[in-house]
Amino acid sequence: MKKGKRILSLLLVLIMLFSMIGCQSTEPTSEDPAKTEDPSEETDALYTPGTYTGKGAGINGDIEVEVIVTENEITDVKVLSHNETPGVGDLALSDIPAGIVEHQSLGIDAIAGATVSSEGILEAVANALEQAGADIEALKAVKVTTEKETLVTTEKEVDVVIIGAGGAGLSAAVSAHQNGASVIILEKMPKVGGNTIISGAAYNCADPGRQVPQGIEDTIEKHYQQTYEGGDKVGNPDLIKVLVENAYPTLEWLESLGMEFNPEVFTVLGGLWPRAHKPVMPLGTGYVSTYMNYIEDNNSDIEIMLNTEATNVIMEDGKAVGVKAEGPEGPVIVKANNGVIIAAGGFSKNIEMRNEYNKAWADLTNTLSTNHPGATGDGIKMAVEVGANLVGMEHIQLLPLGDPETGSLAGNIEQAVENRIFVNKDGNRFVDEGGRRDDMTKALFEQKDAFLWIVLDSHNYPTGDVKNNFNETIDELVEAGRAYKADTLEDLAEQIGVNADNLVAAVEDFNAHVESGEPDEFGRTLYQHKMDTPPYYAGPRMPTVHHTMGGIEINTETQVIDTSGNIIPGLYAAGEVTGGIHGTNRLGGNALADVNTFGRIAGINAANNK
Ligand code: ADP
């Protein structure tokens, strides 16, 4: 019922926005090209008549438009291709072209919540009109005031305001509320969840209750050592201690809120040790629905404002006291009595920032990403604007297991690290598949076309309806041509076009090491079953940008640190937006532990900062 109301109000807002163009008023300037047009006057034509195409940068790649002009008029603007976010981007795709034609202007305001899409369309149209000989500056000077500017600013007051409704923001909201605070979460996308909801969702912590019955030895200290050394001793030891010591209590806290994890732990890609907990619900939906259930039950004290993009942290006398944002109905100001928490995630989807900070990889301009479109580093920029220090920005994590078409982790057929190998296009292994994510990805870049096949057998899929980590059955993947299945390795090799002798030799060598338990030529030590039980399966994978390990510097209380080493009062940060925890390389399974643990701490501290 409550959910229904929220969706209804969102729909109303969308309808309002659709009708906005109709309410726009044009304020022509003296340079207004449309208004200087007068067929009776012998003025030069504004355009060379014809049909033109142009391109502009959208949120996920280029937007291509077609523009038709007569001598003095833009008669049609059509979006030919785009990859904008459904929901938000849709509005820009319909309203901006209509506005350009209606007002004969390129000075149209961006649609709130779809700024990048709006600007991408305007850029594409400008590009097309340039070819038609238009005076672009004059067209931009025709200012079209949208209703947004005439609307009254929404002002709210609350104890804790949080930027971002991913894992860190939602956990902070729940813990802040449990500590007596009223909360508003600002979320720029039309839905909650961020990268958290589409993640593999593995959660690392030493957990004797689950590990001992599986015969796995583990300790908090071992988790600490692997995290610290796995990041080349670059992570902040104090923050790593907070992570490893609080990861299990936070998992218990999640369970107390109703979340369920499988009884057995496993080794996740790049996790180095079997301590990953797998939620019962697919992907990251378990975390998000657990928090959302709590929030729905307490919605008089916790409000989520969707389609509301935070733009600035408001400072007063050196203290963070609120957040400015742009909502679907116009500007929003939320004053925070106790604290502001930045939980806006990383910048894997911001190619400019990726290129600005990347040092470890060649060129990442064309590398795909596992991330959702909102991972654009806004939180980092807002923090810098109020003096925050950044740490480890150059440490960008790539995974070797992205979908070759989309970069997504979906379609990945691996189950546990122990029971699969990677081969290149020649059918040869090339790396320790139980190793670090950066080492595996670097090795993959050395292979032909930076391309690998995951190969495994029915130990992973005893039946065709067994699902991978992304809620896809192996039968579905095979049917869709995203995975291959065969009764023999020779047949599998033929299907995927690799040398059969090499593939058979690779599996025989792997099996010999499973039997001996000895490290192989690549240093692999993680083994479980021999790969000897058909059907065999193979799935194609490529490098993909996954996690930005650098970000806002925080202390163990999640307080933001400025460039002089001082705490910025009232300002907290948690999750992927922060830096300094994972060093050069984050262990698989440590992100969800980080996001939930530090989010929870940020919530407690911001609530109690009275
Ligand atoms: P984390 O795992 O650290 O919680 P996520 O990617 O899961 O990171 O979540 C971050 C959330 O922050 C996403 O839902 C994203 O859309 C949101 N976000 C990013 N920038 C802004 C912004 N400027 N205003 C509001 N929300 C934002």
Side-chain angles (χ1 to χ4, degrees):
M1 198 54 204
K2 289 171 196 160
K3 231 179 231 162
K5 268 190 201 159
R6 211 169 274 168
I7 289 165
L8 185 66
S9 47
L10 184 65
L11 273 174
L12 286 173
V13 165
L14 290 178
I15 290 163
M16 263 187 63
L17 270 168
F18 271 114
S19 59
M20 225 167 65
I21 289 294
C23 307
Q24 286 168 338
S25 65
T26 308
E27 290 172 3
T29 67
S30 56
E31 294 154 334
D32 179 352
K35 302 296 168 193
T36 54
E37 176 212 337
D38 179 349
S40 66
E41 282 176 23
E42 286 194 7
T43 53
D44 285 342
L46 295 172
Y47 314 111
T48 310
T51 302
Y52 301 88
T53 56
K55 278 187 183 164
I59 205 150
N60 286 322
D62 281 344
I63 299 173
E64 194 176 5
V65 299
E66 180 186 87
V67 181
I68 303 176
V69 290
T70 61
E71 278 196 358
N72 293 308
E73 198 183 357
I74 305 166
T75 57
D76 192 31
V77 174
K78 207 184 282 157
V79 176
L80 296 179
S81 63
H82 72 90
N83 204 8
E84 301 311 281
T85 315
V88 195
D90 293 354
L91 258 138
L93 294 166
S94 58
D95 289 9
I96 297 286
I100 293 169
V101 175
E102 183 181 345
H103 300 286
Q104 299 291 300
S105 158
L106 289 177
I108 303 206
D109 265 359
I111 302 287
T115 316
V116 178
S117 307
S118 305
E119 285 169 0
I121 297 165
L122 288 164
E123 183 193 340
V125 175
N127 178 247
L129 287 174
E130 225 168 348
Q131 300 163 45
D135 181 344
I136 302 297
E137 288 315 309
L139 284 164
K140 283 184 181 167
V142 184
K143 289 292 172 207
V144 177
T145 320
T146 63
E147 194 171 354
K148 194 175 73 186
E149 286 176 18
T150 59
L151 281 171
V152 181
T153 302
T154 307
E155 288 193 36
K156 299 195 179 226
E157 193 174 320
V158 77
D159 294 332
V160 174
V161 59
I162 299 171
I163 303 173
L170 293 174
S171 67
V174 170
S175 78
H177 182 264
Q178 286 182 331
N179 283 271
S182 58
V183 179
I184 287 181
I185 314 179
L186 306 169
E187 169 54 57
K188 73 172 172 179
M189 303 302 282
K191 62 184 189 61
V192 301
N195 276 335
T196 302
I197 202 164
I198 55 166
S199 71
Y203 186 112
N204 279 349
C205 59
D207 175 357
R210 284 183 175 83
Q211 289 171 309
V212 170
Q214 283 179 260
I216 301 160
E217 276 179 45
D218 199 12
T219 57
I220 287 175
E221 182 56 22
K222 188 172 178 71
H223 188 190
Y224 172 86
Q225 284 304 337
Q226 289 188 318
T227 302
Y228 185 53
E229 282 162 22
D232 292 318
K233 304 185 179 178
V234 170
N236 175 339
D238 293 337
L239 293 178
I240 300 174
K241 273 187 199 128
V242 172
L243 171 69
V244 297
E245 284 168 7
N246 291 283
Y248 183 70
T250 301
L251 183 121
E252 283 189 306
W253 176 65
L254 280 160
E255 288 177 329
S256 78
L257 291 167
M259 181 153 178
E260 289 181 285
F261 290 89
N262 285 350
E264 301 207 318
V265 297
F266 72 111
T267 310
V268 68
L269 171 80
L272 308 182
W273 201 249
R275 66 167 71 89
H277 295 66
K278 186 174 171 161
V280 168
M281 287 178 71
L283 291 90
T285 56
Y287 301 96
V288 174
S289 65
T290 300
Y291 292 134
M292 288 305 289
N293 285 341
Y294 181 96
I295 291 169
E296 292 286 335
D297 289 344
N298 295 281
N299 70 355
S300 56
D301 288 332
I302 311 179
E303 184 185 356
I304 301 182
M305 299 178 73
L306 294 176
N307 295 307
T308 304
E309 181 171 333
T311 52
N312 311 86
V313 173
I314 305 168
M315 301 293 289
E316 253 172 47
D317 304 327
K319 186 170 179 252
V321 294
V323 177
K324 261 193 215 162
E326 279 297 323
E329 292 162 76
V332 174
I333 291 180
V334 184
K335 297 294 289 286
N337 298 324
N338 301 7
V340 173
I341 302 174
I342 305 180
F347 60 93
S348 286
K349 276 286 193 178
N350 185 327
I351 293 173
E352 211 174 281
M353 276 178 86
R354 242 155 66 171
N355 286 345
E356 181 182 347
Y357 291 106
N358 169 37
K359 283 192 192 139
W361 307 97
D363 178 24
L364 295 178
T365 308
N366 297 316
T367 311
L368 296 166
S369 170
T370 58
N371 281 209
H372 85 122
T376 49
D378 307 7
I380 293 172
K381 291 185 206 158
M382 281 182 261
V384 166
E385 203 180 84
V386 298
N389 193 39
L390 300 182
V391 281
M393 290 295 286
E394 67 275 28
H395 306 310
I396 297 175
Q397 177 163 84
L398 271 69
L399 292 184
L401 300 188
D403 180 292
E405 302 279 318
T406 64
S408 152
L409 282 177
N412 178 8
I413 64 170
E414 74 167 355
Q415 297 283 14
V417 161
E418 287 81 355
N419 295 314
R420 83 305 189 245
I421 58 169
F422 305 156
V423 298
N424 61 19
K425 284 194 165 179
D426 296 323
N428 292 321
R429 286 183 57 221
F430 56 91
V431 74
D432 167 10
E433 300 93 338
R436 291 166 42 151
R437 292 175 163 186
D438 54 351
D439 290 342
M440 289 188 277
T441 313
K442 277 176 198 152
L444 178 56
F445 272 117
E446 308 280 298
Q447 309 307 307
K448 200 184 287 174
D449 301 328
F451 183 98
L452 67 76
W453 292 99
I454 300 178
V455 177
L456 43 74
D457 74 353
S458 68
H459 281 102
N460 299 269
Y461 294 98
T463 60
D465 56 6
V466 173
K467 290 178 171 173
N468 66 359
N469 221 7
F470 296 86
N471 212 27
E472 301 155 319
T473 71
I474 192 72
D475 275 355
E476 283 164 2
L477 291 171
V478 171
E479 204 165 304
R482 299 171 73 199
Y484 295 82
K485 175 183 179 181
D487 282 334
T488 63
L489 286 170
E490 288 81 357
D491 182 15
L492 189 70
E494 195 180 324
Q495 288 190 45
I496 64 176
V498 306
N499 180 299
D501 292 343
N502 289 347
L503 182 63
V504 169
V507 172
E508 276 172 2
D509 183 64
F510 170 77
N511 287 344
H513 285 93
V514 177
E515 207 161 294
S516 72
E518 293 298 314
D520 67 9
E521 60 175 306
F522 304 105
R524 175 165 175 157
T525 54
L526 294 176
Y527 303 106
Q528 191 183 20
H529 300 296
K530 279 193 192 176
M531 204 181 295
D532 58 4
T533 313
Y536 297 98
Y537 296 97
R541 297 278 109 182
M542 286 188 78
T544 183
V545 178
H546 185 54
H547 186 104
T548 49
M549 291 164 289
I552 303 168
E553 184 179 357
I554 53 167
N555 64 14
T556 54
E557 301 300 327
T558 71
Q559 291 166 297
V560 174
I561 306 300
D562 72 13
T563 48
S564 309
N566 301 314
I567 288 161
I568 301 180
L571 191 59
Y572 302 81
E576 196 178 341
V577 78
T578 65
I581 298 166
H582 307 289
T584 59
N585 170 64
R586 177 177 65 72
L587 298 199
N590 269 1
L592 268 307
D594 163 0
V595 159
N596 290 287
T597 298
F598 284 97
R600 179 179 173 218
I601 294 171
I604 296 168
N605 291 338
N608 289 311
N609 181 45
K610 291 176 188 154

